[in-house]
Amino acid sequence: MLIDRQLAPLCFMPDGSLVCYQYGDILLFRDGTLQKRLSLFSGLKERLLGRSRLLYRLLRLGVRAALAIDEQHVLISVGHRLFELNTETGDLSEGCSCDENVRPLLFTGVQGITSFDDAILYGGYFLNREMCPMHIYQRLGVDQWERVYTFPQGTINHIHQIVPDPYRDCLWVFTGDFDEASAIWKITDHFRSVERVVCNDQKYRACVVHALPEGLLYATDAPYADDYIYLFHPDTLEVEELTPISGSCIYGCRWKDQYVFSTTVEGDGRHLTPWQFCFSRELGAGIKDNSTHLYVGHPKTGFKEIYQEEKDRWPFYTFQFGVFKFPYGDNRSDTLYFHPVATKTNDLSLMAYRE
C-alpha cells in the first residue's frame, strides 16, 4: 500500500514513532498519523532540487542512515557529515565530518554485551578498491567520535555491518567485498581481541545480519554469485542454506518476530571502466531478474516472497541500485514500512505492508 510519494522512512524512536524525511524536513508519525514536522535543511538543494526524483538520486540527497540515540534525539548521516537532531525542540547540532570519503552504511547500537560498554558504532564504508585502512568509529558525545579499531592496509575494502551478539557476548563484523576481504570477524574484550573467523568466499559477504540463539541469520550481498539466506553456526563454522533469493541483499530489518530481506538490482561490481561505472545496466551474474524482491520469514518457519517491483531504466551506479530500504530499529507494529528506490512504480515512496 502506498502511503506518500518521496517520503523516506529513517528509523523508529523508543516509543514506536516513525521518523521520516521529505524535502528537507523531518516528520514524526505515530500510529500512521503525522505528529510533528521539523525543518532540517533550509537550503534550496534539498528543498527544491530534492523534489526531482532523478536529481535526488543522482546527487545522493536526503538522509543516508539514522538511529534513535534516546527518547528525543536522532543521529543522522547526510553526505559525509553526521548530525544529531532533538525531536522535541527541533534543534540540530553543528555536525561533524566523517573521515575522507567515508559514509556510514548504517549505525549500530550496542547494549547488554558484558565485554563492551554500551555505545553507538559505525564502520567505514566506501568503494576503497585500494584497500586502504578502514576504521570502526564510536560516539563519545554530541558530534564527537573516535576510532576504536583499524583494519590495516590490504585487509578489507569496507565494513558492511557490526552486529551485537548477546548470546555469545561479542560483536560480529561483516566486511567485503572480494577474496579474503569478504569475511566474518569476531570481536571481544573492548576491541582488544579481533579474530577473522571465516573468509575468502562470497557466502560470507553480507550487509543484513541478525544474532539469534542458534546462530547468525543473514542474506548474502554477492552480485556475481548466487545469493541465499543463510544461518551461520559460530560453534562449528558451518553455513546452513535456508533459501535462495533472486539477488544480492543490502537492506533488511526485523519486523515483530520475523526477519525481512530485500534484493538488489545491480551490476557485477568488478573490473569496471569509468564509462561502465557511470552508465552500465548489465546485471551481475547473481542478479536473477530486473526486479527487487521482498522476503519475510523466520528460520524455523521458512521465508516467502511477498512483493516485488521492477527496476527503472536508469543506470545502476549513477542513479542508484534498485532496492527496498527500511527504517532502522525495532518495528513492533503491525505494519512493515519500506521505501523503493530506483523502481518503475513507487520510486522513493513510503510503502506499507500488513499481513
Side-chain angles (χ1 to χ4, degrees), residues 63-67 75-83 96-108 120-126 134-135 137 145 158-162 250-251 325:
V63 177
R64 181 181 179 87
L67 175 72
L75 173 65
I76 59 175
S77 169
V78 180
H80 296 278
R81 291 182 64 80
L82 307 181
F83 299 90
C96 61
S97 296
C98 302
D99 285 343
E100 184 178 5
N101 297 320
V102 168
R103 293 189 297 179
L105 183 60
L106 50 78
F107 299 107
T108 297
I120 295 174
L121 308 172
Y122 75 87
Y125 186 85
F126 67 98
M134 294 299 290
H135 313 286
Y137 304 84
W145 295 80
H158 45 238
I159 297 166
H160 284 154
Q161 189 174 21
I162 303 167
I250 302 175
Y251 300 104
K325 295 184 177 182

